[in-house]
Amino acid sequence: MLKRAAVVIALTAAVLPGRQVHAQEPPSAGTILAKSQQAFFYAGSDMKARVLMTLTSASGQKRVRELTMLRRNEARGGEQKYFMYFHQPADVKGMTFLVVKYARKDDDRWLFVPAINMVKRLAARDASQSFVGSDFTYEDVSGRDLEADGHTLLREERVGSRDCYVIESIARSPAQYKRKLAWIDRNSFLPIKEEYFDAKDELFKTFSADEVAEVGGVPTVTKRTMVNQKTGHTTTVVFTDVAYGLGIDADIFSERYLREPPRKWVQ
Amino acid sequence: MRPRLTPQRLPEWSTRHPRLTIALTAALTALFAAWLPGMRTDTDSKNMLPATSDVRVLNDRVDQWFGLHKDMIVVGIVRERGIFELDALESLERLTSAIAGLRGVVSVDVTSLTTADNVVAEGGMLRVEPLLPRVPETPEQMERLRRSLMGNPMVVGRLVSEDGTTTAVYVPLERGANGKVVADQIRDLLARERTAGLQYFVAGDPVARDTFGAEMFRQMAVFAPLAGFVMLIALHFMFRSFALSLSIMAVAMVASSWSMGLLVAVGQPVHIMSSMMPVFLMAIATDSIHIFNEFYFRLRETSDRRQAVLETMEAVGAPVRYTALTTAAGFGVLALGGIIPVRVFGLFVGFGTMVIRLMSFSLVPAVMMIVPDRTLETASRREDLQAGASRWLGALGRLSIRHPLAVLAAGAVLLAMVATGIPRIRINNNMIHWFKPQSPIAVADRVMNAKLGGTSLLHLVASTPEAEGLKDPARLAYVEALQREVETDEDVGKTVSVVDLVKRVNRVMQEDRPEQEVLPATREIVGQYLFLFGMAAKPATLENLLDAESRRANVWVQLKSWDAGAVERVVGRVEAYTKSHPPPALTVQPAGIAYFNLVWNHEVLKDMVRTFLVALVVVLAILVVSFRSLAWGLLSFVPLLFTIALIYGAVGLLGKDFDMPISVLSTLSLGMAVDFPIHFIRRYRQRLAEGQSVADALVWTVARPGKGILRNAVLFSLAFAVMLASSLTPYITVGLFIMTMMTLSAVFTLLYLPALVALRPVRRAPANAGFAKEG
């Protein structure tokens, strides 16, 4: 954990001098993305948030998924654990979902189905798998192995009030996209905008970080949207009650707590 | 003759200024033709119904609810000894990803064994992944795969055939993509796949529809000029004057240019129906033959060329005007119908017909003025009532006058025999039948329908008033019962719904035993199963079956036939079932391409039948008015009725469907089959007015204007015989139909009108005085 904190400090230090850094050689695409992953998926030692996902179809039909998400970073090589408790839709209230994410192998996933009182292990599948039927994939939610793509820093560009690096990533191993463009904030290293291109090099998906807030000093994307440009289907995700460094116990992330969600964290 | 009669002045003027007339016509034609480069084509027969029509709006909505795509191509891979072999599955894998990379294809929704979601239990773990995540390497693995797929009701009949010899790739097309273009690209990919013993087939509605559209335009570009060329040669044999023969073709081309040009000018796209305008106008233009026919006879009788032309125009002017009028009316009536491209077609062919009429009185006389003397002399020498066709036509006329009852009785017997076929006519349309049985499209469709659930797709949308209502097990059970009911139909090969999915999840969540493939007991379990499935599968898999609010479920019904009649039967079955088994707060609405075809069939074809009947009445009214006599009007109607009754009786007896091509031809036949009687009766009454006896006048009419009629019929038949060489059956139908129609109409006119007139008590027509003034 100390190491993690050290990284964050180092990052902050690297970013703060701003102009001076600008005048020098820009960092490599790989470095920028590594910092970005850190800021976007690994912020804090752990994290808790109430997540409201709104799925809107092209015809305007809306579906809602509301969940409490607990995330804990493990010490070893980027391993993370996610615990999710579903509040909505109504007929799935009480379903819980546990994901253990490894850097170099498939996730482990368990799901508790209260209606039949059963915990079932789910097999992970390809990278393009949708997260709970939304326009976000599991990779969009928890990150993709950086070495699975080749990256190039194309240019720097302003998006709104932010100076961004524009990085092109070309998939080396199977992905939902063939090519991806990311606009990464020079200061927070959060992705501000992303464009995904399919095998035919047609734009099919766009990401935008719509709201960014400081939570306990950590820049956090509190509202984000993914639009499927081919179907017009949209998913908006709003984070509330975000908190970092809560000291969430490691054993929360176990089958026992799937059946009996921890009251302390899940209301 | 009254001075105000401008129609008579037109030939006078144009015979006085023949070169100016020709120049003016050319200039005007150039003006209209200038629009032609701006032509837009619309080869999609779907557009016969406007985008705002109920069925298209419904289908758009259903597509949105369930994330469906308008059009789907089905690619079949067949190996008779079985598809479960390494090389075959590898070929499938290669093809699936190559097809997903094609432009116009919705890549993410290309469905085959390698992409379709399957829910399986594996050592206590639930796995949702493509049915064929990786091609098995060992025979044992292959056997396990085969067994698991063949035991999966969501797969068998859809992705794998029951006998294990066939697998399919379903290729959804992006909006606006052309099915033929994508199918051609797929065929290119298939040509590169050279796996031994594998056969590949490309089927599906968009392939047939867009191939037909494209082929129709292409073949029109071949057959219209070809028919014109054949006619030109035939005309040359008849009239021995290249200039005159060419002028008939010129009339057709002028009319085509004017009406096509105007069509483009008003911003209409050229639809598959209007693409046939040139051929139809060419057919109609042959009416000018009557002018030449008479002109050659007249030339023998008078030495002054201009005199001969003007006399000719006076003699045939009225019939030419009225045949044009009835033809234009026959097409014009189409404008009363509800189908916009049909209205456009009717209006513009009507317009073209009027252009032809205009040309008959201007361009044709002008050309007759400038043809070199020598050509005409040699040619007209052959026109003699005592020679050639006229001679045996005269004999024929005498025969029917002498034995009118026998002739009529023979006709009545023939009519009675064939007319029994009329009630048997089936109004039905089947696009696959527009291709020859041995064509790749028809073969692909046949093979795929024999092996798999069917290439024609019907959706049954079950809706509840309540959100989340379709998670209710009782409603799901009803949907399942409806599936079983629909499956009893011989043409339904496969149905899939969210019920199959829920049952599947229920099974794998438990011990994965076949008897556990049933619906769970509570709404809550259904909801959580579906959520669970949604967490693991591609969103589209569930979305295609259940809308976002779980208010509507989509039952996929695969039909083995593109017959509108088959769809009608299935829809009827659903209606009957929901009546006898009232559903639990559930309504069922058919949709999808198969339903569209059914509605299209009803709307377009029934509209055609309606307008056809109206056209019959309108034409009769025109005849009665123009002859100023109900009796003559009815009489002139007889050959038309005979012709139509015989043709449709034969259609019924042969079991041929009354489909799109036949329905278009109906109106054409009306306008044209009535031409011959008009010429006949007009000329007969003129002759009678000149003081001849009934018998003499009849024989003269059969021999002289009759020769024109015969020439017209032969010309038609020759031109349209060209179409028999087409690869599209509608063109063959058009060719056969017109040949038959013109021949029958000519025979009935020349044989039955004399007999009928001979039977009538001899009486001078009261309107004699009117002949001259009517013109």
Side-chain angles (χ1 to χ4, degrees), chain A residues 91 121 123 125 129 200 202, chain B residues 103 105 107 117 126 471 536:
Chain A
D91 58 359
R121 197 161 156 221
R125 57 179 280 186
Q129 191 187 348
K200 289 179 267 183
E202 290 170 8
Chain B
R103 223 159 260 289
V105 169
S107 314
D117 275 329
L126 190 75
K471 290 177 181 168

Side-chain angles (χ1 to χ4, degrees), chain B residues 417-432:
Chain B
M417 266 164 45
V418 180
T420 55
I422 292 177
R424 293 205 211 170
I425 290 182
R426 255 190 347 149
I427 298 188
N428 187 29
N429 203 37
N430 182 328
M431 213 186 307
I432 296 299

Side-chain angles (χ1 to χ4, degrees), chain A residues 3 6 41 47 59 76 126 139 146 171 199 226 244:
Chain A
K3 223 182 231 169
F41 298 112
M47 178 221 200
S59 57
R76 307 182 297 276
D126 52 30
E139 280 186 351
L146 284 181
M226 190 72 90
Y244 294 100

Side-chain angles (χ1 to χ4, degrees), chain B residues 231-505:
Chain B
M231 270 169 65
L232 197 61
I233 292 175
L235 281 166
H236 192 68
F237 271 103
M238 287 176 186
F239 296 112
R240 304 284 160 179
S241 161
F242 191 66
L244 286 184
S245 309
L246 209 59
S247 73
I248 291 190
M249 297 314 298
V251 168
M253 274 153 71
V254 166
S256 296
S257 308
W258 287 31
S259 42
M260 289 297 250
L262 192 63
L263 182 81
V264 175
V266 299
Q268 282 287 335
V270 177
H271 199 267
I272 54 173
M273 244 175 120
S274 24
S275 79
M276 295 199 293
M277 272 174 24
V279 171
F280 277 32
L281 289 174
M282 203 188 301
I284 296 166
T286 57
D287 201 43
S288 314
I289 251 186
H290 297 280
I291 302 176
F292 292 113
N293 191 61
E294 184 58 23
F295 177 55
Y296 276 39
F297 279 108
R298 295 272 169 182
L299 264 184
R300 286 174 60 85
E301 294 162 8
T302 169
S303 53
D304 180 40
R305 169 89 68 97
R306 186 151 180 270
Q307 188 62 27
V309 173
L310 289 179
E311 276 176 14
T312 300
M313 294 318 295
E314 180 155 0
V316 300
V320 164
R321 261 193 290 283
Y322 280 104
T323 53
L325 188 60
T326 48
T327 307
F331 282 103
V333 164
L334 288 177
L336 300 175
I339 311 297
I340 289 166
V342 176
R343 280 157 81 170
V344 170
F345 173 75
L347 277 176
F348 283 84
V349 176
F351 170 74
T353 308
M354 298 322 281
V355 174
I356 289 172
R357 176 185 149 167
L358 179 67
M359 291 301 129
S360 297
F361 290 96
S362 54
L363 183 65
V364 170
V367 173
M368 291 196 289
M369 285 307 292
I370 59 165
V371 175
D373 280 329
R374 210 155 6 101
T375 333
L376 286 182
E377 270 163 37
T378 40
S380 73
R381 210 169 300 140
R382 297 166 58 251
E383 297 300 327
D384 184 340
L385 282 180
Q386 307 313 318
S390 290
R391 211 168 102 204
W392 63 260
L393 277 172
L396 186 77
R398 274 186 286 277
L399 178 81
S400 48
I401 297 167
R402 234 168 270 149
H403 311 285
L405 281 175
V407 170
L408 290 177
V413 169
L414 179 68
L415 191 64
M417 266 164 45
V418 180
T420 55
I422 292 177
R424 293 205 211 170
I425 290 182
R426 255 190 347 149
I427 298 188
N428 187 29
N429 203 37
N430 182 328
M431 213 186 307
I432 296 299
H433 292 169
W434 292 1
F435 297 89
K436 284 187 172 172
Q438 66 275 22
S439 71
I441 286 184
V443 169
D445 197 67
R446 218 165 32 242
V447 171
M448 304 288 281
N449 280 329
K451 297 283 190 185
L452 296 163
T455 51
S456 170
L457 193 58
L458 176 72
H459 293 296
L460 295 175
V461 180
S463 312
T464 61
E466 157 202 9
E468 309 298 315
L470 264 153
K471 290 177 181 168
D472 176 7
R475 291 197 179 114
L476 290 175
Y478 189 86
V479 171
E480 188 178 18
L482 193 64
Q483 282 179 260
R484 298 295 91 80
E485 167 65 20
V486 166
E487 280 166 1
T488 58
D489 190 282
E490 52 177 336
D491 279 328
V492 173
K494 179 81 192 164
T495 71
V496 172
S497 79
V498 68
V499 176
D500 300 287
L501 187 69
V502 171
K503 284 162 64 182
R504 184 87 200 154
V505 176

Side-chain angles (χ1 to χ4, degrees), chain B residues 646-705:
Chain B
L646 267 186
I647 290 182
Y648 287 104
V651 165
L653 284 181
L654 293 173
K656 172 144 186 28
D657 288 338
F658 181 90
D659 60 1
M660 175 68 189
I662 296 264
S663 73
V664 177
L665 286 165
S666 322
T667 34
L668 176 73
S669 65
L670 243 179
M672 316 221 66
V674 82
D675 284 1
F676 295 164
I678 291 179
H679 280 289
F680 188 95
I681 292 173
R682 287 255 160 208
R683 302 299 302 282
Y684 162 71
R685 283 172 57 180
Q686 281 172 352
R687 193 69 180 170
L688 210 55
E690 285 164 25
Q692 288 223 338
S693 75
V694 168
D696 284 348
L698 279 175
V699 171
W700 178 87
T701 313
V702 176
R704 185 155 142 177

